[in-house]
Amino acid sequence: MLVVGGAGYIGSHAARLLRKEGFDVVIYDNLSTGYASLVHGFELVQGDIADSERLSGVMRRVTAVMHFAAHAYVGESVENPRKYFRNNVECGLLLLNAAIDAGVGHFISSSTCAVYGLPNTVPIPENTTRQPVNPYGVSKLFFEQALESYGRAYGLRFASLRYFNAAGADEGGETGECHIPETHLIPLALQAAAGTGDKLQIFGGDYATPDGTCIRDYIHVNDLAAAHVKALHYLIAGGSSVALNLGTGRGYSVLEVVRTVEEVVGKVVPKHVGPRRPGDPPALVADPSYAQKLFQWRATRSLHEIVSTAWNWMRHRETQVGLGSAS
Ligand SMILES: NC(=O)c1ccc[n+]([C@@H]2O[C@H](COP(=O)([O-])OP(=O)(O)OC[C@H]3O[C@@H](n4cnc5c(N)ncnc54)[C@H](O)[C@@H]3O)[C@@H](O)[C@H]2O)c1
């Protein structure tokens, strides 16, 4: 089993669960935003997905690939689309070609709710029109469509897993989120509460939502990892290619998340409510019923567990990755 981008946030959780489930795991990662220390004890091949020679050597040893390697900052993708199309599209295709050439039959790929853009219907089912509104979403939609074409032409069976907001950290404290710069709400709110980060900037308090702030569907990263393992078993058992939403089906507003952070940390989150950010939909919540039915899977961890595990990780991560702790 090749976990590409496995030294990053979501990939390092999936790699652990795969190993626990008895799969032989090889990690392939260029460590551009990942950390070797997060995959201590795993076989790590350091390389770029654009390095077809190195990749093909590893690819020949596996029958399935999980692909987490991408750039994933929406704002940066608007300012520097070239970087996103290069890594997520051009390099992504080289990875896909290497998989096909090596005879890999199963491919599981990280997609995102950003492929939907500004959907009219919430909760969002999978048959919602895909109309991304930023280059990051466009790059992910392209990759989904490349998989569809390769599936038709070469018989590759794949799962495009559209994550909503991945959050939280491994309950055992072995891995967690270390994005630099950090743009995700929960770590930013935790840092603000702990006094190790800036005051939390809230983008918009005048949306048509109950408290005026945006609503998102936060899913624990180990619930995501569990869905990946289910997807792998499903493909191995002969299941046909799918695109699935991975979320909880329950949305929380920014202020609800802030209150949960305050409960967990026991301190107030200093915050400032500023203007809306262009392109932010008021609410993005998954309809996860298809994945639940197909995989007999559901996200089980609560928002409180998400925030508690993220807080635990933030306080202890200095020892793991040398990043500042928050206590
Ligand atoms: N974090 C979220 O909330 C979220 C939501 C939706 C989708 N996603 C998608 O999930 C995937 C993983 O996201 P993450 O948050 O774990 O990000 P991350 O940056 O922590 O992990 C990405 C990993 O891929 C590696 N990588 C990047 N480009 C590479 C390349 N060219 N060659 C080899 N390795 C490369 C990085 O070093 C890193 O270890 C991404 O595809 C992202 O678009 C994330």
Side-chain angles (χ1 to χ4, degrees):
M1 175 77 225
L2 188 63
V3 182
V4 180
Y9 171 45
I10 303 170
S12 63
H13 289 80
R16 279 180 171 71
L17 193 58
L18 285 164
R19 187 168 63 180
K20 217 183 265 176
E21 298 272 321
F23 290 95
D24 273 337
V25 176
V26 181
I27 312 267
Y28 189 89
D29 199 299
N30 67 0
L31 303 182
S32 56
T33 56
Y35 301 84
S37 52
L38 295 187
V39 286
H40 198 68
F42 285 86
E43 179 182 349
L44 168 66
V45 179
Q46 192 173 338
D48 197 283
I49 52 175
D51 184 347
S52 301
E53 209 176 297
R54 177 168 299 216
L55 198 51
S56 69
V58 191
M59 208 58 100
R60 277 195 215 98
R61 296 166 46 197
V62 302
T63 54
V65 170
M66 279 189 194
H67 171 35
F68 297 93
H71 294 318
Y73 290 120
V74 170
E76 186 185 54
S77 79
V78 175
E79 279 153 29
N80 192 359
R82 186 173 175 160
K83 177 176 176 181
Y84 280 69
F85 293 133
R86 166 73 186 153
N87 204 35
N88 299 3
V89 175
E90 288 180 56
C91 299
L93 285 177
L94 294 173
L95 171 69
L96 208 44
N97 292 342
I100 295 294
D101 291 345
V104 165
H106 310 132
F107 198 100
I108 296 171
S109 173
S110 304
S111 193
T112 163
C113 62
V115 297
Y116 296 119
L118 310 172
N120 294 322
T121 313
V122 177
I124 305 166
E126 285 85 357
N127 60 5
T128 303
T129 311
R130 293 174 291 176
Q131 283 179 314
V133 292
N134 51 61
Y136 168 64
V138 171
S139 73
K140 289 292 187 172
L141 173 56
F142 179 89
F143 198 80
E144 283 198 3
Q145 291 176 324
L147 280 172
E148 290 158 19
S149 303
Y150 277 43
R152 278 190 293 270
Y154 310 125
L156 180 72
R157 278 182 301 112
F158 64 88
S160 290
L161 302 182
R162 298 177 186 149
Y163 316 154
F164 281 62
N165 288 56
D170 174 49
E171 287 87 352
E174 287 182 18
T175 185
E177 192 166 6
C178 321
H179 291 128
I180 300 174
E182 189 50 80
T183 58
H184 292 146
L185 172 63
I186 292 172
L188 289 174
L190 287 168
Q191 285 165 3
T196 55
D198 295 336
K199 187 188 275 193
L200 182 70
Q201 297 299 320
I202 298 178
F203 300 104
D206 58 351
Y207 284 97
T209 57
D211 64 24
T213 62
C214 283
I215 292 177
R216 295 289 180 267
D217 185 339
Y218 298 91
I219 176 165
H220 193 283
V221 62
N222 270 340
D223 282 328
L224 279 183
H228 284 73
V229 174
K230 292 277 189 183
L232 181 60
H233 283 301
Y234 163 84
L235 291 176
I236 291 172
S240 19
S241 297
V242 276
L244 294 168
N245 286 340
L246 297 183
T248 65
R250 159 86 154 95
Y252 288 94
S253 74
V254 174
L255 290 178
E256 285 175 311
V257 171
V258 165
R259 270 196 297 279
T260 309
V261 167
E262 290 176 338
E263 270 165 39
V264 168
V265 179
K267 289 184 183 160
V268 170
V269 174
K271 56 186 183 297
H272 171 257
V273 182
R276 295 181 183 193
R277 211 166 30 182
D280 263 350
L284 284 176
V285 178
D287 173 351
S289 49
Y290 185 30
Q292 290 173 347
K293 194 165 153 236
L294 195 67
F295 292 167
Q296 305 294 301
W297 161 92
R298 77 178 42 238
T300 55
R301 285 126 173 131
S302 66
L303 180 63
H304 199 274
E305 286 170 281
I306 287 174
V307 173
S308 306
T309 52
W311 176 231
N312 182 49
W313 166 248
M314 198 175 275
R315 280 182 301 156
H316 297 114
R317 70 183 185 182
E318 191 170 18
T319 46
Q320 267 96 341
V321 291
L323 288 171
S325 73
S327 48

Short mmCIF file of all heavy atoms in Angstrom, two decimals, residues 42-79:
data_model
loop_
_atom_site.label_atom_id
_atom_site.label_comp_id
_atom_site.label_asym_id
_atom_site.label_seq_id
_atom_site.Cartn_x
_atom_site.Cartn_y
_atom_site.Cartn_z
N PHE A 42 7.78 4.12 9.97
CA PHE A 42 7.27 3.67 8.67
C PHE A 42 8.41 3.73 7.66
O PHE A 42 9.35 4.51 7.82
CB PHE A 42 6.18 4.63 8.15
CG PHE A 42 4.86 4.49 8.85
CD1 PHE A 42 4.61 5.18 10.03
CD2 PHE A 42 3.87 3.67 8.32
CE1 PHE A 42 3.39 5.07 10.67
CE2 PHE A 42 2.65 3.55 8.96
CZ PHE A 42 2.40 4.24 10.14
N GLU A 43 8.29 2.95 6.59
CA GLU A 43 9.24 3.11 5.49
C GLU A 43 8.87 4.39 4.75
O GLU A 43 7.76 4.53 4.23
CB GLU A 43 9.16 1.91 4.53
CG GLU A 43 10.12 2.09 3.36
CD GLU A 43 10.06 0.96 2.33
OE1 GLU A 43 9.43 -0.08 2.59
OE2 GLU A 43 10.67 1.16 1.26
N LEU A 44 9.80 5.33 4.72
CA LEU A 44 9.57 6.61 4.04
C LEU A 44 10.50 6.73 2.85
O LEU A 44 11.72 6.70 3.01
CB LEU A 44 9.81 7.78 5.02
CG LEU A 44 9.87 9.18 4.39
CD1 LEU A 44 8.52 9.60 3.80
CD2 LEU A 44 10.31 10.22 5.45
N VAL A 45 9.92 6.85 1.67
CA VAL A 45 10.73 7.14 0.48
C VAL A 45 10.57 8.62 0.21
O VAL A 45 9.45 9.09 -0.04
CB VAL A 45 10.26 6.31 -0.74
CG1 VAL A 45 11.10 6.66 -1.97
CG2 VAL A 45 10.32 4.82 -0.42
N GLN A 46 11.68 9.36 0.33
CA GLN A 46 11.58 10.80 0.13
C GLN A 46 11.72 11.11 -1.36
O GLN A 46 12.76 10.81 -1.97
CB GLN A 46 12.66 11.52 0.93
CG GLN A 46 12.39 13.01 0.98
CD GLN A 46 13.34 13.74 1.92
OE1 GLN A 46 13.92 13.14 2.82
NE2 GLN A 46 13.49 15.03 1.70
N GLY A 47 10.68 11.65 -1.94
CA GLY A 47 10.72 11.95 -3.36
C GLY A 47 9.50 12.76 -3.75
O GLY A 47 8.51 12.83 -3.01
N ASP A 48 9.61 13.34 -4.93
CA ASP A 48 8.52 14.16 -5.45
C ASP A 48 7.68 13.32 -6.41
O ASP A 48 8.23 12.46 -7.11
CB ASP A 48 9.12 15.37 -6.18
CG ASP A 48 8.09 16.46 -6.39
OD1 ASP A 48 7.24 16.30 -7.29
OD2 ASP A 48 8.13 17.45 -5.64
N ILE A 49 6.38 13.62 -6.47
CA ILE A 49 5.55 12.85 -7.41
C ILE A 49 5.91 13.17 -8.86
O ILE A 49 5.54 12.43 -9.76
CB ILE A 49 4.03 13.03 -7.16
CG1 ILE A 49 3.63 14.50 -7.12
CG2 ILE A 49 3.61 12.31 -5.89
CD1 ILE A 49 2.12 14.72 -7.01
N ALA A 50 6.65 14.25 -9.08
CA ALA A 50 7.10 14.56 -10.45
C ALA A 50 8.32 13.72 -10.83
O ALA A 50 8.71 13.69 -12.00
CB ALA A 50 7.45 16.05 -10.55
N ASP A 51 8.92 13.05 -9.87
CA ASP A 51 10.11 12.23 -10.14
C ASP A 51 9.64 10.83 -10.55
O ASP A 51 9.58 9.89 -9.74
CB ASP A 51 10.97 12.18 -8.87
CG ASP A 51 12.27 11.43 -9.07
OD1 ASP A 51 12.41 10.72 -10.09
OD2 ASP A 51 13.14 11.52 -8.18
N SER A 52 9.31 10.70 -11.83
CA SER A 52 8.65 9.47 -12.31
C SER A 52 9.53 8.24 -12.13
O SER A 52 9.02 7.14 -11.89
CB SER A 52 8.25 9.62 -13.78
OG SER A 52 7.38 10.70 -13.90
N GLU A 53 10.84 8.43 -12.24
CA GLU A 53 11.73 7.28 -12.12
C GLU A 53 11.69 6.69 -10.71
O GLU A 53 11.48 5.50 -10.51
CB GLU A 53 13.15 7.73 -12.47
CG GLU A 53 13.98 6.61 -13.05
CD GLU A 53 15.34 7.12 -13.48
OE1 GLU A 53 15.38 7.98 -14.38
OE2 GLU A 53 16.34 6.66 -12.89
N ARG A 54 11.86 7.60 -9.73
CA ARG A 54 11.82 7.14 -8.34
C ARG A 54 10.46 6.54 -8.00
O ARG A 54 10.34 5.50 -7.36
CB ARG A 54 12.11 8.33 -7.41
CG ARG A 54 12.03 7.96 -5.93
CD ARG A 54 12.60 9.04 -5.10
NE ARG A 54 14.01 9.23 -5.43
CZ ARG A 54 14.96 9.54 -4.55
NH1 ARG A 54 14.64 9.69 -3.29
NH2 ARG A 54 16.19 9.68 -4.91
N LEU A 55 9.44 7.22 -8.49
CA LEU A 55 8.08 6.79 -8.19
C LEU A 55 7.79 5.41 -8.78
O LEU A 55 7.19 4.56 -8.11
CB LEU A 55 7.12 7.83 -8.80
CG LEU A 55 5.69 7.87 -8.32
CD1 LEU A 55 5.61 7.94 -6.81
CD2 LEU A 55 5.00 9.09 -8.93
N SER A 56 8.25 5.18 -10.01
CA SER A 56 7.88 3.91 -10.64
C SER A 56 8.54 2.74 -9.92
O SER A 56 7.94 1.67 -9.82
CB SER A 56 8.21 3.92 -12.14
OG SER A 56 9.59 3.93 -12.30
N GLY A 57 9.74 2.97 -9.36
CA GLY A 57 10.39 1.91 -8.58
C GLY A 57 9.53 1.48 -7.40
O GLY A 57 9.37 0.29 -7.11
N VAL A 58 8.94 2.46 -6.72
CA VAL A 58 8.12 2.17 -5.53
C VAL A 58 6.77 1.61 -5.95
O VAL A 58 6.22 0.70 -5.32
CB VAL A 58 7.89 3.46 -4.70
CG1 VAL A 58 7.28 3.15 -3.36
CG2 VAL A 58 9.18 4.21 -4.52
N MET A 59 6.26 2.17 -7.03
CA MET A 59 4.92 1.81 -7.49
C MET A 59 4.84 0.32 -7.85
O MET A 59 3.80 -0.30 -7.67
CB MET A 59 4.63 2.68 -8.71
CG MET A 59 3.22 2.99 -8.98
SD MET A 59 2.34 3.83 -7.67
CE MET A 59 2.33 5.52 -8.17
N ARG A 60 5.94 -0.22 -8.35
CA ARG A 60 5.91 -1.63 -8.76
C ARG A 60 5.75 -2.58 -7.58
O ARG A 60 5.43 -3.73 -7.75
CB ARG A 60 7.21 -1.97 -9.52
CG ARG A 60 7.08 -1.57 -10.96
CD ARG A 60 8.14 -2.17 -11.85
NE ARG A 60 8.47 -1.19 -12.88
CZ ARG A 60 9.51 -0.37 -12.82
NH1 ARG A 60 10.37 -0.45 -11.84
NH2 ARG A 60 9.70 0.52 -13.76
N ARG A 61 5.98 -2.04 -6.36
CA ARG A 61 5.88 -2.91 -5.17
C ARG A 61 4.47 -2.95 -4.59
O ARG A 61 4.24 -3.64 -3.61
CB ARG A 61 6.85 -2.39 -4.09
CG ARG A 61 8.31 -2.46 -4.52
CD ARG A 61 9.20 -1.63 -3.60
NE ARG A 61 8.91 -1.83 -2.21
CZ ARG A 61 9.31 -1.02 -1.23
NH1 ARG A 61 10.03 0.04 -1.50
NH2 ARG A 61 9.00 -1.27 0.02
N VAL A 62 3.54 -2.15 -5.13
CA VAL A 62 2.23 -2.05 -4.47
C VAL A 62 1.10 -2.34 -5.45
O VAL A 62 1.29 -2.32 -6.67
CB VAL A 62 2.02 -0.64 -3.84
CG1 VAL A 62 3.12 -0.33 -2.84
CG2 VAL A 62 1.96 0.44 -4.92
N THR A 63 -0.09 -2.57 -4.89
CA THR A 63 -1.25 -2.78 -5.76
C THR A 63 -2.29 -1.67 -5.58
O THR A 63 -3.27 -1.60 -6.32
CB THR A 63 -1.93 -4.14 -5.44
OG1 THR A 63 -2.21 -4.14 -4.04
CG2 THR A 63 -1.03 -5.31 -5.79
N ALA A 64 -2.08 -0.85 -4.56
CA ALA A 64 -3.05 0.23 -4.31
C ALA A 64 -2.31 1.49 -3.86
O ALA A 64 -1.24 1.41 -3.25
CB ALA A 64 -4.04 -0.20 -3.22
N VAL A 65 -2.92 2.64 -4.19
CA VAL A 65 -2.31 3.93 -3.84
C VAL A 65 -3.35 4.80 -3.15
O VAL A 65 -4.51 4.85 -3.57
CB VAL A 65 -1.81 4.65 -5.13
CG1 VAL A 65 -1.41 6.09 -4.83
CG2 VAL A 65 -0.64 3.89 -5.74
N MET A 66 -2.92 5.48 -2.08
CA MET A 66 -3.72 6.57 -1.51
C MET A 66 -2.94 7.85 -1.76
O MET A 66 -1.76 7.94 -1.41
CB MET A 66 -3.93 6.39 -0.01
CG MET A 66 -5.03 5.43 0.32
SD MET A 66 -5.45 5.42 2.05
CE MET A 66 -6.43 3.93 2.07
N HIS A 67 -3.61 8.84 -2.32
CA HIS A 67 -2.94 10.06 -2.78
C HIS A 67 -3.39 11.28 -1.96
O HIS A 67 -4.52 11.75 -2.12
CB HIS A 67 -3.27 10.24 -4.26
CG HIS A 67 -2.82 11.54 -4.83
ND1 HIS A 67 -1.67 12.18 -4.45
CD2 HIS A 67 -3.38 12.35 -5.79
CE1 HIS A 67 -1.53 13.31 -5.13
NE2 HIS A 67 -2.57 13.43 -5.94
N PHE A 68 -2.50 11.74 -1.10
CA PHE A 68 -2.79 12.93 -0.27
C PHE A 68 -1.94 14.13 -0.67
O PHE A 68 -2.08 15.20 -0.09
CB PHE A 68 -2.49 12.62 1.21
CG PHE A 68 -3.35 11.53 1.79
CD1 PHE A 68 -2.92 10.21 1.79
CD2 PHE A 68 -4.58 11.82 2.36
CE1 PHE A 68 -3.71 9.19 2.33
CE2 PHE A 68 -5.38 10.82 2.90
CZ PHE A 68 -4.93 9.50 2.89
N ALA A 69 -0.99 13.93 -1.62
CA ALA A 69 0.01 14.96 -1.89
C ALA A 69 -0.56 16.07 -2.76
O ALA A 69 -0.87 15.84 -3.93
CB ALA A 69 1.21 14.32 -2.59
N ALA A 70 -0.70 17.25 -2.17
CA ALA A 70 -1.22 18.39 -2.95
C ALA A 70 -0.95 19.65 -2.16
O ALA A 70 -0.67 19.61 -0.96
CB ALA A 70 -2.71 18.23 -3.18
N HIS A 71 -1.05 20.77 -2.85
CA HIS A 71 -1.11 22.05 -2.14
C HIS A 71 -2.57 22.32 -1.82
O HIS A 71 -3.44 22.02 -2.64
CB HIS A 71 -0.54 23.17 -3.00
CG HIS A 71 0.93 23.03 -3.28
ND1 HIS A 71 1.83 22.64 -2.30
CD2 HIS A 71 1.65 23.25 -4.40
CE1 HIS A 71 3.04 22.61 -2.83
NE2 HIS A 71 2.97 22.97 -4.10
N ALA A 72 -2.82 22.93 -0.67
CA ALA A 72 -4.22 22.97 -0.22
C ALA A 72 -4.64 24.29 0.44
O ALA A 72 -5.48 24.28 1.33
CB ALA A 72 -4.49 21.79 0.71
N TYR A 73 -4.04 25.41 0.01
CA TYR A 73 -4.48 26.70 0.56
C TYR A 73 -5.30 27.45 -0.49
O TYR A 73 -4.75 27.84 -1.54
CB TYR A 73 -3.28 27.57 0.94
CG TYR A 73 -2.50 27.09 2.13
CD1 TYR A 73 -1.16 26.76 2.02
CD2 TYR A 73 -3.11 26.98 3.37
CE1 TYR A 73 -0.42 26.33 3.12
CE2 TYR A 73 -2.39 26.55 4.48
CZ TYR A 73 -1.05 26.22 4.34
OH TYR A 73 -0.34 25.80 5.43
N VAL A 74 -6.56 27.66 -0.20
CA VAL A 74 -7.44 28.32 -1.17
C VAL A 74 -6.91 29.71 -1.54
O VAL A 74 -6.77 30.05 -2.72
CB VAL A 74 -8.88 28.43 -0.59
CG1 VAL A 74 -9.73 29.32 -1.47
CG2 VAL A 74 -9.49 27.03 -0.47
N GLY A 75 -6.58 30.52 -0.54
CA GLY A 75 -6.13 31.90 -0.78
C GLY A 75 -4.87 31.93 -1.63
O GLY A 75 -4.76 32.70 -2.59
N GLU A 76 -3.92 31.05 -1.29
CA GLU A 76 -2.67 31.00 -2.04
C GLU A 76 -2.93 30.60 -3.49
O GLU A 76 -2.27 31.08 -4.42
CB GLU A 76 -1.72 30.00 -1.39
CG GLU A 76 -0.34 29.99 -2.02
CD GLU A 76 0.57 28.89 -1.45
OE1 GLU A 76 0.17 27.71 -1.45
OE2 GLU A 76 1.68 29.23 -1.01
N SER A 77 -3.92 29.72 -3.68
CA SER A 77 -4.21 29.26 -5.05
C SER A 77 -4.74 30.41 -5.92
O SER A 77 -4.56 30.41 -7.13
CB SER A 77 -5.20 28.09 -5.04
OG SER A 77 -6.53 28.52 -4.87
N VAL A 78 -5.40 31.38 -5.28
CA VAL A 78 -5.90 32.54 -6.03
C VAL A 78 -4.73 33.42 -6.44
O VAL A 78 -4.66 33.92 -7.56
CB VAL A 78 -6.93 33.33 -5.18
CG1 VAL A 78 -7.38 34.60 -5.89
CG2 VAL A 78 -8.12 32.44 -4.82
N GLU A 79 -3.77 33.59 -5.51
CA GLU A 79 -2.61 34.45 -5.80
C GLU A 79 -1.59 33.77 -6.71
O GLU A 79 -0.89 34.43 -7.46
CB GLU A 79 -1.92 34.82 -4.49
CG GLU A 79 -2.62 35.97 -3.79
CD GLU A 79 -2.42 35.93 -2.29
OE1 GLU A 79 -1.37 35.42 -1.84
OE2 GLU A 79 -3.31 36.41 -1.58
#
